[in-house]
Amino acid sequence: MKLPRLLVTYKVGAAPDDIEARARALAAEQSVEMPVEAIGDARVLAEVVATVESVRATSTPDAFDVTLGLAADTTGHEASQLANMLFGNCSLQPEVQLHDVIFPPGYASAFPGPAFGVAGLRERVGATARPLTCTALKPQGSTVAHLAHLAGTFARAGIDVVKDDHGLANQSYSTFAERVPAVQAAIAAANRETGGRTIYAPTFSGSPKAIAEQARIARDCGVGMALVAPMLVGLPVFVEMRREFGLALLAHPAFAGASRVAPALLLGKLFRLFGADATIFPNHGGRFGYSRETCLGIAAAARAPWEDLAPIVPVPAGGMSVERVPEMISDYGMDTMLLIGGGLLTAGDALPGRSREFVRRVRET
Amino acid sequence: MKLPRLLVTYKVGAAPDDIEARARALAAEQSVEMPVEAIGDARVLAEVVATVESVRATSTPDAFDVTLGLAADTTGHEASQLANMLFGNCSLQPEVQLHDVIFPPGYASAFPGPAFGVAGLRERVGATARPLTCTALKPQGSTVAHLAHLAGTFARAGIDVVKDDHGLANQSYSTFAERVPAVQAAIAAANRETGGRTIYAPTFSGSPKAIAEQARIARDCGVGMALVAPMLVGLPVFVEMRREFGLALLAHPAFAGASRVAPALLLGKLFRLFGADATIFPNHGGRFGYSRETCLGIAAAARAPWEDLAPIVPVPAGGMSVERVPEMISDYGMDTMLLIGGGLLTAGDALPGRSREFVRRVRET
């Protein structure tokens, strides 16, 4: 019987004469982490040492695509050990980047995957055949009253998801326990007024104990979604949130750039596997340097057919404006959530109007 | 009263004509994450928006050192939000690297810091004025019986700390619950035989619930130390382990992706702040590309005077050999733990002798 293996592709810098040896060293590093010659156990050699499946030249000199076969059992079928096997030690080698993973059939079933996904989020906000809209409560440092007022304004304008700025955590000037019930109440009041179904996604952060307490507060006041940066709280914590809290999960990419993993793999494929329902990423042409191709790759990974895992919602963001709505819908299609934060807040006193304009443009495009 | 601020230095790539604007944009990104002009609250402008403290040219063209002043309160005095403020969004900007942080007086007191540090680990293993020794149980995939046998061999040779390979997690072929009591028993038996005080550091990984269960198993059988990769389990989980388990903590750099965060800051300063007692890093001249200067910088950060935080033990590793013992001691001094894993295991049948040779060289140098 052939052992199930993950096919893991790395971008590796090396001279052509060195690449075969470099690929074998990478296979040892990402599996047994010792000289393979010194291993006496035949089963370990056959079933645990990673295999070099292919080495391919790229269009860049001295840059190769190396695909390893990692034994599925070495990952322990768990998020932290999966990340360890994919990019633990070799994340420390600057000439290596993690590019993509193809999982063996059935592998994903050990992970929770999204609870809601595209269809579930559409149902939650009552949107059938249009992109969703999202905005952020900013800036951090604002009083709870100001944030609640902003949230009410956005909800009355009909924006589907109002999230905390990811910098709103549990600071003394706006603790989670004070902020979240107040903002949720403002949104609920606006929903009653308009008949709308805006949902609130506060930022969850801190230790596992702190997060459990935040979940209790959020559920007690009727919050339905959590904004979480998996790389800040820890990948296995994100998985545990998915398994235990019953909240929709909006993944934030903060701190994700620290480890040189291809964005489509990390923000698209892996965050989805671990339970995200929607994934925020910095759209091209904003404040970040991702190319259009990278961004479309994230969206494709979020929605590609994948066994029993529901497709999830890509959320382009990072300096977007109402003017770019038609172009973004053209790029990403209907199963998308457009996130405009600062681009609404710069309207000042005209905020209600610009928020309604955002909603209108999305519905009409 | 002057607001306490963290002085955070980034390496930023930009043209000379653009760097002042780039620095201001970075200050907004890492604090309020919106256009500063659109903020009406004077308190937010004064106390929350990050300040540009300095912009300095470097010896590289189009590369600058930018130091921001981040308001201490924005970090929530907690690990995940601290990482978010330091390198959340700008980790996604490839032209930005996080270089160093100077914390305001008293800031560290909100974090646990090391429970044992250099002095505590010396006491645990009964070593007064010599470097400590460490090795690893490998390869993953080995049977529990083989790993326990290896551990007994290392302990009888007098090695101070026997750690799991960081790839040993909770896989089906060697579960934590089976492996850890067996290895600890082998080490305890060897200690009784020799009068030695070898300690075992098994790998902790997985979700917070899984880690709590691992702590219970480890304490029940007398394990005194945990090997943990903070970037895999999550920084706040690492802090919670420090606060709750009473185990010494050996930090592993897996997934630290160190080329974007300066290794001395992450593996030295931050892991120490969060509670590590010892910190493993890839020494120069081994399988990783860190320079000697980078490695000495990590060791310096681990041991520099810092308010009430005990100095911790730097652990150079990653392809080291017994032959390099004198050079490593010359580089790093006595308050160091030398880690040789594969370099012992390649001895095959001569493993007991090479292990004793490692211990003897360290004691005699």
Side-chain angles (χ1 to χ4, degrees):
Chain A
M1 197 189 87
K2 201 163 171 331
L3 193 71
R5 288 185 184 264
L6 285 66
L7 297 177
V8 188
T9 300
Y10 301 90
K11 301 272 180 194
V12 179
D17 285 352
D18 300 333
I19 185 63
E20 292 292 337
R22 186 68 191 83
R24 285 194 302 275
L26 187 64
E29 192 72 55
Q30 293 309 111
S31 56
V32 289
E33 209 200 321
M34 64 177 285
V36 172
E37 316 80 73
I39 298 173
D41 185 329
R43 194 183 52 77
V44 172
L45 288 169
E47 299 183 6
V48 177
V49 176
T51 51
V52 177
E53 298 288 328
S54 68
V55 174
R56 295 178 307 285
T58 67
S59 54
T60 310
D62 296 343
F64 295 84
D65 287 342
V66 173
T67 298
L68 303 184
L70 291 190
D73 280 350
T74 64
T75 69
H77 304 276
E78 178 277 315
S80 65
Q81 177 61 8
L82 171 60
N84 191 21
M85 295 309 297
L86 294 177
F87 204 49
N89 272 9
C90 68
S91 79
L92 302 165
Q93 297 175 321
E95 75 277 19
V96 180
Q97 293 180 44
L98 174 59
H99 182 63
D100 199 11
V101 184
I102 297 171
F103 295 100
Y107 183 85
S109 66
F111 291 84
F116 298 91
V118 171
L121 291 188
R122 285 197 175 287
E123 195 185 328
R124 295 289 284 267
V125 301
T128 49
R130 59 166 175 84
L132 310 186
T133 50
C134 181
T135 191
L137 301 176
K138 306 185 184 198
Q140 65 161 300
S142 301
T143 61
V144 167
H146 179 67
L147 296 171
H149 174 76
L150 274 182
T153 301
F154 290 139
R156 275 191 299 275
I159 291 174
D160 296 311
V161 174
V162 176
K163 73 170 191 68
D164 279 348
D165 181 36
H166 82 288
L168 293 179
N170 193 29
Q171 297 101 334
S172 55
Y173 43 70
S174 158
T175 64
F176 191 97
E178 290 171 312
R179 177 177 82 249
V180 173
V183 170
Q184 178 61 37
I187 289 177
N191 281 343
R192 281 192 300 273
E193 205 178 304
T194 64
R197 295 162 71 169
T198 297
I199 56 181
Y200 173 40
T203 304
F204 282 59
S205 67
S207 71
K209 283 201 170 170
I211 286 175
E213 174 62 7
Q214 289 159 17
R216 191 194 58 72
I217 294 167
R219 282 182 306 208
D220 282 356
C221 65
V223 163
M225 193 173 207
L227 176 77
V228 199
M231 303 302 284
L232 289 173
V233 300
L235 294 172
V237 176
F238 186 73
V239 173
E240 201 164 281
M241 290 183 68
R242 159 66 179 88
R243 290 198 195 279
E244 307 213 339
F245 293 161
L247 293 163
L249 295 177
L250 176 55
H252 192 282
F255 211 57
S259 50
R260 297 177 303 112
V261 182
L265 172 61
L266 185 62
L267 310 183
K269 203 180 276 193
L270 291 177
F271 283 5
R272 177 183 176 192
L273 178 68
F274 296 154
D277 297 294
T279 186
I280 298 172
F281 60 92
N283 198 25
H284 61 95
R287 300 193 309 275
F288 299 81
Y290 285 14
S291 68
R292 179 166 180 272
E293 183 190 5
T294 295
C295 295
L296 293 177
I298 296 168
R303 298 184 295 209
W306 184 1
E307 298 188 350
D308 296 334
L309 273 67
I312 67 170
V313 182
V315 188
M320 297 299 102
S321 62
V322 174
E323 290 66 34
R324 288 189 62 183
V325 164
E327 169 225 319
M328 289 196 283
I329 295 177
S330 163
D331 262 8
Y332 294 107
M334 291 289 145
D335 290 341
T336 302
M337 182 154 73
L338 304 185
L339 167 51
I340 303 180
L344 298 183
L345 291 168
T346 49
D349 291 343
L351 181 65
R354 194 180 290 180
S355 301
R356 286 193 301 269
E357 171 72 4
F358 174 33
V359 169
R360 190 184 60 73
R361 285 224 193 177
V362 170
R363 287 173 193 253
E364 289 178 0
T365 299
Chain B
M1 197 190 87
K2 202 166 172 328
L3 194 72
R5 288 185 184 264
L6 285 66
L7 296 177
V8 188
T9 300
Y10 301 89
K11 301 271 182 194
V12 179
D17 285 352
D18 300 334
I19 186 62
E20 292 291 339
R22 185 69 192 81
R24 285 194 301 273
L26 187 63
E29 192 72 53
Q30 292 310 110
S31 55
V32 289
E33 209 200 322
M34 65 177 285
V36 172
E37 317 78 74
I39 298 174
D41 184 329
R43 196 183 52 77
V44 171
L45 289 169
E47 299 183 4
V48 176
V49 176
T51 50
V52 177
E53 297 288 327
S54 68
V55 173
R56 296 179 306 285
T58 68
S59 54
T60 310
D62 295 343
F64 295 84
D65 286 342
V66 173
T67 298
L68 302 184
L70 292 190
D73 280 350
T74 63
T75 69
H77 304 275
E78 178 276 315
S80 65
Q81 178 60 8
L82 170 60
N84 192 20
M85 296 309 298
L86 293 177
F87 205 48
N89 272 10
C90 68
S91 80
L92 303 165
Q93 296 174 322
E95 74 278 18
V96 180
Q97 293 180 41
L98 175 59
H99 182 63
D100 199 11
V101 184
I102 297 172
F103 296 99
Y107 183 85
S109 66
F111 292 84
F116 298 91
V118 171
L121 290 188
R122 286 196 175 287
E123 194 185 330
R124 295 289 284 267
V125 301
T128 48
R130 60 167 176 82
L132 309 186
T133 51
C134 181
T135 190
L137 301 176
K138 304 183 184 199
Q140 67 160 297
S142 301
T143 62
V144 167
H146 179 67
L147 296 171
H149 175 77
L150 273 182
T153 301
F154 291 138
R156 276 191 299 276
I159 291 174
D160 296 310
V161 174
V162 176
K163 73 170 191 71
D164 279 348
D165 182 35
H166 81 287
L168 294 178
N170 193 29
Q171 297 101 335
S172 55
Y173 43 70
S174 159
T175 64
F176 191 98
E178 290 171 314
R179 178 177 81 249
V180 172
V183 170
Q184 178 60 36
I187 288 176
N191 282 342
R192 282 193 298 274
E193 206 178 302
T194 63
R197 293 162 74 169
T198 297
I199 56 180
Y200 173 39
T203 303
F204 282 60
S205 67
S207 70
K209 283 200 170 170
I211 286 175
E213 174 64 7
Q214 289 159 17
R216 190 194 60 72
I217 294 168
R219 281 182 306 207
D220 282 356
C221 65
V223 163
M225 194 174 205
L227 176 78
V228 199
M231 303 303 286
L232 289 173
V233 300
L235 294 171
V237 176
F238 185 73
V239 173
E240 198 163 283
M241 290 183 69
R242 159 65 179 88
R243 290 197 196 278
E244 306 213 340
F245 293 161
L247 293 163
L249 295 177
L250 176 54
H252 193 284
F255 210 58
S259 72
R260 309 279 321 284
V261 183
L265 172 61
L266 184 62
L267 310 183
K269 203 180 276 193
L270 291 177
F271 283 7
R272 177 183 175 192
L273 178 68
F274 296 155
D277 297 294
T279 185
I280 299 172
F281 61 91
N283 198 24
H284 61 97
R287 301 193 309 275
F288 298 82
Y290 284 13
S291 68
R292 181 168 178 273
E293 184 191 4
T294 295
C295 294
L296 294 176
I298 296 168
R303 299 184 296 208
W306 184 1
E307 299 187 350
D308 296 334
L309 273 67
I312 67 170
V313 182
V315 188
M320 297 300 100
S321 63
V322 175
E323 291 67 33
R324 288 189 62 182
V325 165
E327 169 225 319
M328 287 196 283
I329 294 177
S330 164
D331 262 7
Y332 294 106
M334 292 289 146
D335 290 340
T336 301
M337 182 154 72
L338 304 185
L339 167 51
I340 304 180
L344 299 183
L345 291 168
T346 50
D349 292 343
L351 181 65
R354 193 179 290 180
S355 301
R356 286 193 301 270
E357 170 73 5
F358 174 32
V359 170
R360 188 184 61 72
R361 284 224 194 179
V362 170
R363 288 173 192 253
E364 288 178 0
T365 299

